[in-house]
Amino acid sequence: NRTTHEAMQLMPTGDLHAATQAIQRGLDVATQTNTATEPNVSGARADWIEGHYHVLPDIPGDDVEVPGTPEPLEHNPSNGSNGEFRDHRFTCDAGALHYKLFIPGGVGAAAPLVVMLHGCTQSPDDFARGTRMNALAQEHGYVVAYPAQAQSKNAGKCWNWFRSQDQQRGQGEPAIISALTRHLVKTHGLDERRVYVAGLSAGGAMAAVLAITYPDVYAAIGVHSGLPFGVAHDLPSAFAAMKQGAALPPARVPPAARMEAVPAIVVPGDRGPKGRHDKACAAIAH
């Protein structure tokens, strides 16, 4: 929608406060509209949770690159108070990718892991800077991984959530990302029960794919401006779904996937044009 587009244009410039204000303006308009048209919405959906947010202050040096080191990275709890943010490369039977890893200074044993999937044209650095996730990780004590989509795999550096071969367990991008996730949990002694994946746009759509194909790996997902699993099988159908909306996806979950309920937080809500976001939210959440 217009609010998301405005915020996305501001985020790469580093003007995070302006981007936040754009989102707040959009939320204020939506709240006023909802109040005017639906005076009795309290308690209508018991499975929806009201949330709160706060804006993180800028941290000097937060966006400074740290030189990469060979895999595996030995976790050192005595890292500086700002933690370490480094480049790495991961290879498995399904393929390979680069990623960045943030480990907070002084993080405890068996910490949670959050996997962050960037949107089209973005990089791990863009996503880390725009979301401020490293600052939150330092505050709350969890590790953050930022897989990077290669331009050789998608010209726009989008995750290929819409391709049939990348919607299957045991192959394609879901297999690579889930293998990386398991590798990080094992290598750094993280808590396998508290592993999460979140994404924006194409990254959000891939997070939804991971919830379907690897519900045994991820405890919950976050989807911002993404699409539900199964609404596209190639590039033309992906553009059609994004432009025109789509009905709820057909029940064609890969046979190898285990059907488990994976909790989801979905942004934006259910007030998209022609009810598209209502359908997308319902499909992702279920």
Side-chain angles (χ1 to χ4, degrees):
N1 58 26
R2 182 177 179 180
T3 298
T4 303
H5 179 70
E6 181 181 356
M8 285 293 294
Q9 287 184 316
L10 290 167
M11 284 172 62
T13 69
D15 195 349
L16 303 179
H17 292 294
T20 301
Q21 290 171 356
I23 294 172
Q24 290 173 338
R25 287 195 299 272
L27 290 173
D28 289 341
V29 171
T31 300
Q32 293 168 7
T33 302
N34 291 349
T35 303
T37 59
E38 295 186 24
N40 269 334
V41 297
S42 177
R45 288 291 301 274
D47 56 340
W48 289 64
I49 302 173
E50 287 294 330
H52 301 277
Y53 68 91
H54 67 280
V55 179
L56 293 170
D58 288 336
I59 300 176
D62 176 60
D63 57 352
V64 175
E65 283 283 329
V66 180
T69 56
E71 273 280 275
L73 171 67
E74 291 298 330
H75 180 87
N76 181 2
S78 64
N79 289 330
S81 59
N82 289 330
E84 57 182 25
F85 193 30
R86 298 184 179 181
D87 292 294
H88 304 280
R89 178 175 173 80
F90 174 74
T91 302
C92 65
D93 291 341
L97 53 69
H98 288 275
Y99 69 97
K100 294 200 75 168
L101 186 68
F102 178 76
I103 299 180
V107 67
L113 171 66
V114 177
V115 179
M116 296 286 288
L117 302 177
H118 63 74
C120 295
T121 76
Q122 290 187 316
S123 69
D125 288 303
D126 295 331
F127 207 30
R129 185 180 301 113
T131 61
R132 313 293 296 173
M133 187 58 71
N134 291 357
L136 285 170
Q138 180 64 57
E139 178 182 353
H140 296 287
Y142 57 85
V143 175
V144 191
Y146 299 86
Q149 175 65 299
Q151 196 163 25
S152 60
K153 296 181 179 178
N154 184 292
K157 296 195 293 185
C158 308
W159 298 101
N160 292 304
W161 59 271
F162 50 85
R163 300 194 312 186
S164 296
Q165 61 267 39
D166 290 299
Q167 298 173 351
Q168 308 292 325
R169 185 182 177 99
Q171 68 180 57
E173 291 174 4
I176 303 172
I177 296 170
S178 64
L180 168 63
T181 302
R182 286 168 165 157
H183 166 77
L184 294 174
V185 169
K186 181 179 179 180
T187 302
H188 300 289
L190 306 178
D191 188 349
E192 64 180 6
R193 300 167 301 176
R194 294 186 295 165
V195 176
Y196 312 95
V197 59
L200 171 69
S201 188
M206 182 54 71
V209 171
L210 288 165
I212 293 293
T213 53
Y214 290 93
D216 51 324
V217 174
Y218 301 100
I221 66 168
V223 178
H224 192 309
S225 306
L227 286 91
F229 176 86
V231 297
H233 55 85
D234 57 16
L235 193 56
S237 59
F239 279 119
M242 289 186 288
K243 183 177 181 180
Q244 302 169 7
L248 294 179
R252 58 178 191 85
V253 176
R258 292 167 50 197
M259 283 304 294
E260 297 180 5
V262 177
I265 180 169
V266 181
V267 182
D270 61 356
R271 295 299 165 201
K274 300 180 182 179
R276 294 174 200 163
H277 287 150
D278 186 26
K279 296 178 179 180
C281 290
I284 293 169
H286 295 87

Coordinates of all heavy atoms in Angstrom, one line a residue, residues 66-67 69 71-75 79 82-89 98-104 112-115 124-125 128 134 142-147 180-181 183-185 187-188 190:
V66 N 32.0 -5.0 9.8 CA 33.1 -5.7 10.4 C 33.6 -6.8 9.5 O 32.9 -7.5 8.8 CB 32.6 -6.5 11.7 CG1 33.7 -7.2 12.4 CG2 32.0 -5.5 12.6
P67 N 34.9 -6.8 9.2 CA 35.5 -7.8 8.2 C 35.0 -9.2 8.5 O 34.9 -9.6 9.6 CB 37.0 -7.6 8.5 CG 37.2 -6.3 9.1 CD 36.0 -6.0 9.9
T69 N 35.1 -13.3 8.5 CA 36.0 -14.4 9.0 C 35.5 -15.7 8.5 O 34.4 -15.9 8.1 CB 36.0 -14.4 10.5 OG1 34.7 -14.6 11.0 CG2 36.5 -13.1 11.1
E71 N 34.2 -19.5 8.1 CA 33.3 -20.4 8.9 C 34.1 -21.5 9.5 O 35.1 -22.0 8.9 CB 32.2 -21.0 7.9 CG 31.0 -20.1 7.7 CD 30.0 -20.3 8.9 OE1 29.2 -21.2 8.9 OE2 30.1 -19.4 9.8
P72 N 33.7 -22.1 10.7 CA 32.6 -21.5 11.5 C 33.1 -20.4 12.4 O 34.3 -20.4 12.8 CB 32.2 -22.7 12.3 CG 33.5 -23.5 12.5 CD 34.2 -23.3 11.2
L73 N 32.3 -19.6 12.8 CA 32.6 -18.5 13.7 C 32.5 -19.0 15.2 O 31.5 -19.5 15.6 CB 31.6 -17.3 13.6 CG 31.7 -16.2 14.6 CD1 33.0 -15.5 14.5 CD2 30.5 -15.3 14.5
E74 N 33.6 -18.9 15.9 CA 33.7 -19.4 17.3 C 33.0 -18.3 18.1 O 33.4 -17.1 18.1 CB 35.1 -19.6 17.8 CG 35.8 -20.8 17.1 CD 35.1 -22.1 17.4 OE1 34.5 -22.2 18.5 OE2 35.1 -23.0 16.5
H75 N 32.0 -18.7 18.8 CA 31.2 -17.8 19.7 C 32.1 -17.4 20.9 O 32.6 -18.3 21.6 CB 29.9 -18.4 20.1 CG 29.1 -17.5 21.0 ND1 28.3 -16.5 20.5 CD2 29.1 -17.3 22.4 CE1 27.7 -15.9 21.5 NE2 28.2 -16.3 22.7
N79 N 32.7 -10.8 23.8 CA 32.6 -9.8 22.8 C 32.3 -8.4 23.4 O 31.7 -8.4 24.5 CB 31.6 -10.1 21.7 CG 32.0 -11.3 20.9 OD1 33.2 -11.6 20.7 ND2 31.0 -12.1 20.4
N82 N 28.7 -4.0 22.1 CA 27.9 -3.8 20.9 C 27.8 -5.1 20.1 O 27.2 -5.1 19.0 CB 28.4 -2.7 20.0 CG 28.1 -1.3 20.7 OD1 27.2 -1.2 21.4 ND2 29.0 -0.4 20.4
G83 N 28.4 -6.2 20.5 CA 28.4 -7.4 19.8 C 29.2 -7.4 18.6 O 30.0 -6.5 18.3
E84 N 29.1 -8.5 17.7 CA 29.8 -8.6 16.5 C 28.8 -8.9 15.3 O 27.9 -9.7 15.5 CB 30.9 -9.7 16.6 CG 30.3 -11.0 17.0 CD 31.4 -12.1 17.1 OE1 32.6 -11.7 17.4 OE2 31.2 -13.3 16.9
F85 N 29.1 -8.3 14.2 CA 28.2 -8.4 13.0 C 29.2 -8.7 11.8 O 29.9 -7.9 11.4 CB 27.5 -7.1 12.8 CG 26.4 -7.2 11.8 CD1 25.6 -8.4 11.6 CD2 26.0 -6.1 11.1 CE1 24.6 -8.4 10.7 CE2 24.9 -6.1 10.2 CZ 24.2 -7.3 10.0
R86 N 29.2 -10.0 11.4 CA 30.2 -10.4 10.4 C 29.5 -11.2 9.2 O 28.5 -11.8 9.3 CB 31.2 -11.3 11.1 CG 32.0 -10.7 12.2 CD 33.0 -11.6 12.7 NE 33.8 -10.9 13.8 CZ 34.8 -11.5 14.4 NH1 35.1 -12.7 14.2 NH2 35.4 -10.8 15.4
D87 N 30.3 -11.1 8.1 CA 29.9 -11.9 6.9 C 30.4 -13.3 6.9 O 31.5 -13.6 7.5 CB 30.6 -11.2 5.7 CG 30.1 -9.8 5.4 OD1 28.9 -9.7 5.0 OD2 30.8 -8.9 5.5
H88 N 29.6 -14.2 6.4 CA 29.9 -15.6 6.3 C 29.3 -16.2 5.0 O 28.5 -15.6 4.4 CB 29.3 -16.4 7.5 CG 29.8 -15.8 8.8 ND1 31.0 -16.1 9.4 CD2 29.2 -15.0 9.7 CE1 31.1 -15.5 10.5 NE2 30.0 -14.8 10.8
R89 N 29.7 -17.4 4.7 CA 29.2 -18.2 3.6 C 28.8 -19.6 4.1 O 29.6 -20.2 4.9 CB 30.2 -18.3 2.4 CG 29.6 -19.1 1.3 CD 30.6 -19.0 0.1 NE 30.2 -19.9 -1.0 CZ 29.3 -19.6 -1.9 NH1 28.7 -18.5 -1.9 NH2 29.0 -20.5 -2.9
H98 N 25.5 -16.5 1.0 CA 26.2 -15.6 2.0 C 25.2 -15.2 3.0 O 23.9 -15.1 2.8 CB 26.8 -14.4 1.3 CG 28.0 -14.8 0.4 ND1 29.2 -14.9 0.9 CD2 28.1 -15.1 -0.9 CE1 30.1 -15.2 0.0 NE2 29.4 -15.3 -1.2
Y99 N 25.7 -14.8 4.2 CA 24.8 -14.3 5.2 C 25.6 -13.5 6.2 O 26.8 -13.6 6.3 CB 24.0 -15.4 6.0 CG 24.9 -16.3 6.8 CD1 25.0 -16.1 8.2 CD2 25.6 -17.4 6.3 CE1 25.8 -16.9 9.0 CE2 26.4 -18.2 7.1 CZ 26.5 -18.0 8.5 OH 27.3 -18.8 9.2
K100 N 24.9 -12.7 7.0 CA 25.6 -11.9 8.0 C 25.0 -12.4 9.4 O 23.8 -12.8 9.4 CB 25.4 -10.4 7.9 CG 26.1 -9.9 6.7 CD 26.3 -8.4 6.8 CE 27.5 -8.0 7.7 NZ 27.9 -6.6 7.6
L101 N 25.8 -12.4 10.4 CA 25.4 -12.9 11.7 C 25.7 -11.9 12.8 O 26.9 -11.4 12.8 CB 26.1 -14.3 12.0 CG 25.7 -15.0 13.3 CD1 24.3 -15.5 13.1 CD2 26.6 -16.2 13.6
F102 N 24.7 -11.6 13.6 CA 25.0 -10.7 14.7 C 24.9 -11.5 16.0 O 23.9 -12.2 16.3 CB 23.9 -9.6 14.8 CG 24.1 -8.7 16.0 CD1 25.1 -7.7 16.0 CD2 23.2 -8.8 17.1 CE1 25.3 -6.9 17.1 CE2 23.4 -8.0 18.2 CZ 24.4 -7.0 18.2
I103 N 25.9 -11.5 16.8 CA 26.0 -12.1 18.1 C 26.2 -11.0 19.1 O 27.2 -10.3 19.2 CB 27.1 -13.1 18.2 CG1 26.9 -14.2 17.2 CG2 27.2 -13.7 19.6 CD1 28.0 -15.3 17.2
P104 N 25.2 -10.8 20.0 CA 25.3 -9.7 21.0 C 26.5 -10.0 22.0 O 26.8 -11.1 22.3 CB 24.0 -9.8 21.8 CG 23.1 -10.6 20.9 CD 23.9 -11.5 20.1
P112 N 18.0 -17.6 21.9 CA 17.1 -17.8 20.8 C 17.8 -17.3 19.5 O 18.8 -16.6 19.5 CB 15.9 -16.8 21.1 CG 16.0 -16.5 22.5 CD 17.5 -16.6 22.9
L113 N 17.2 -17.7 18.4 CA 17.7 -17.3 17.0 C 16.6 -16.7 16.2 O 15.5 -17.3 16.2 CB 18.3 -18.5 16.3 CG 18.7 -18.3 14.8 CD1 19.8 -17.3 14.7 CD2 19.1 -19.6 14.1
V114 N 16.8 -15.6 15.6 CA 15.9 -15.0 14.7 C 16.6 -14.9 13.3 O 17.6 -14.3 13.2 CB 15.5 -13.6 15.1 CG1 14.5 -12.9 14.1 CG2 14.8 -13.6 16.5
V115 N 15.9 -15.5 12.3 CA 16.4 -15.4 10.9 C 15.6 -14.3 10.2 O 14.4 -14.4 10.1 CB 16.2 -16.8 10.2 CG1 16.7 -16.7 8.8 CG2 17.0 -17.9 11.0
P124 N 21.6 -7.8 3.5 CA 21.5 -7.9 5.0 C 21.8 -6.6 5.7 O 21.1 -6.3 6.7 CB 22.6 -8.9 5.3 CG 22.6 -9.8 4.1 CD 22.4 -8.8 2.9
D125 N 22.7 -5.8 5.2 CA 23.0 -4.5 5.9 C 21.8 -3.6 5.8 O 21.5 -2.9 6.8 CB 24.3 -3.9 5.3 CG 25.5 -4.6 5.6 OD1 25.8 -4.7 6.8 OD2 26.3 -5.1 4.7
A128 N 19.2 -4.9 8.3 CA 19.6 -4.7 9.7 C 19.5 -3.3 10.1 O 19.0 -2.9 11.2 CB 21.0 -5.2 9.9
N134 N 19.4 -5.6 15.3 CA 20.6 -5.8 16.1 C 20.6 -5.1 17.4 O 21.0 -5.7 18.4 CB 21.9 -5.4 15.3 CG 22.1 -6.3 14.1 OD1 21.4 -7.3 13.9 ND2 23.2 -5.9 13.4
Y142 N 19.5 -12.2 22.0 CA 19.3 -13.3 21.0 C 20.2 -13.0 19.8 O 20.7 -11.9 19.5 CB 17.9 -13.4 20.6 CG 17.2 -12.2 20.0 CD1 17.3 -11.9 18.7 CD2 16.4 -11.4 20.9 CE1 16.6 -10.8 18.2 CE2 15.8 -10.3 20.4 CZ 15.9 -10.0 19.0 OH 15.3 -8.8 18.5
V143 N 20.4 -14.1 19.0 CA 21.3 -14.1 17.9 C 20.4 -13.8 16.6 O 19.3 -14.3 16.5 CB 22.1 -15.4 17.7 CG1 22.9 -15.4 16.4 CG2 23.0 -15.6 18.9
V144 N 20.9 -13.0 15.7 CA 20.2 -12.7 14.4 C 21.0 -13.1 13.2 O 22.2 -12.7 13.1 CB 19.9 -11.2 14.3 CG1 18.9 -11.0 13.2 CG2 19.3 -10.7 15.7
A145 N 20.4 -13.8 12.3 CA 21.0 -14.2 11.0 C 20.3 -13.5 9.9 O 19.1 -13.5 9.9 CB 21.0 -15.7 10.9
Y146 N 21.1 -13.0 8.9 CA 20.5 -12.3 7.8 C 21.0 -13.0 6.5 O 22.0 -12.7 5.9 CB 21.0 -10.9 7.7 CG 20.6 -10.0 8.9 CD1 21.3 -10.0 10.1 CD2 19.4 -9.2 8.9 CE1 21.0 -9.2 11.1 CE2 19.1 -8.4 9.9 CZ 19.8 -8.4 11.1 OH 19.5 -7.6 12.1
P147 N 20.3 -14.1 6.0 CA 20.7 -14.7 4.7 C 20.6 -13.6 3.6 O 19.7 -12.7 3.6 CB 19.6 -15.8 4.5 CG 19.1 -16.1 5.9 CD 19.2 -14.7 6.6
L180 N 20.8 -23.8 7.0 CA 21.6 -22.8 7.6 C 21.1 -22.6 9.1 O 21.9 -22.4 10.0 CB 21.5 -21.4 6.8 CG 22.1 -20.2 7.6 CD1 23.6 -20.3 7.8 CD2 21.8 -18.9 6.8
T181 N 19.8 -22.5 9.2 CA 19.3 -22.3 10.6 C 19.7 -23.4 11.5 O 20.2 -23.2 12.6 CB 17.7 -22.3 10.5 OG1 17.3 -21.3 9.6 CG2 17.1 -22.1 11.8
H183 N 22.3 -25.3 11.2 CA 23.8 -25.2 11.4 C 24.1 -24.2 12.5 O 24.9 -24.5 13.3 CB 24.4 -24.8 10.0 CG 25.8 -24.3 10.1 ND1 26.9 -25.1 10.3 CD2 26.3 -23.0 10.1 CE1 28.0 -24.4 10.4 NE2 27.7 -23.2 10.3
L184 N 23.4 -23.1 12.4 CA 23.7 -22.0 13.4 C 23.3 -22.5 14.8 O 24.0 -22.2 15.8 CB 22.9 -20.7 13.1 CG 23.4 -20.1 11.8 CD1 22.5 -18.9 11.4 CD2 24.9 -19.6 11.9
V185 N 22.1 -23.2 14.9 CA 21.7 -23.7 16.2 C 22.7 -24.6 16.8 O 23.1 -24.5 18.0 CB 20.3 -24.4 16.1 CG1 20.0 -25.1 17.4 CG2 19.3 -23.3 15.8
T187 N 26.0 -25.0 15.8 CA 27.4 -24.4 16.0 C 27.5 -23.5 17.2 O 28.5 -23.5 17.9 CB 27.7 -23.6 14.7 OG1 27.7 -24.5 13.6 CG2 29.1 -23.1 14.8
H188 N 26.5 -22.8 17.4 CA 26.5 -21.8 18.5 C 25.8 -22.2 19.8 O 25.6 -21.4 20.7 CB 26.0 -20.4 18.0 CG 26.8 -19.9 16.8 ND1 28.1 -19.4 17.0 CD2 26.5 -19.8 15.5 CE1 28.6 -19.1 15.8 NE2 27.6 -19.3 14.9
L190 N 22.5 -22.8 20.3 CA 21.3 -22.0 20.5 C 20.2 -22.9 20.9 O 20.2 -24.1 20.7 CB 21.0 -21.2 19.2 CG 22.2 -20.3 18.7 CD1 21.8 -19.6 17.4 CD2 22.6 -19.3 19.8

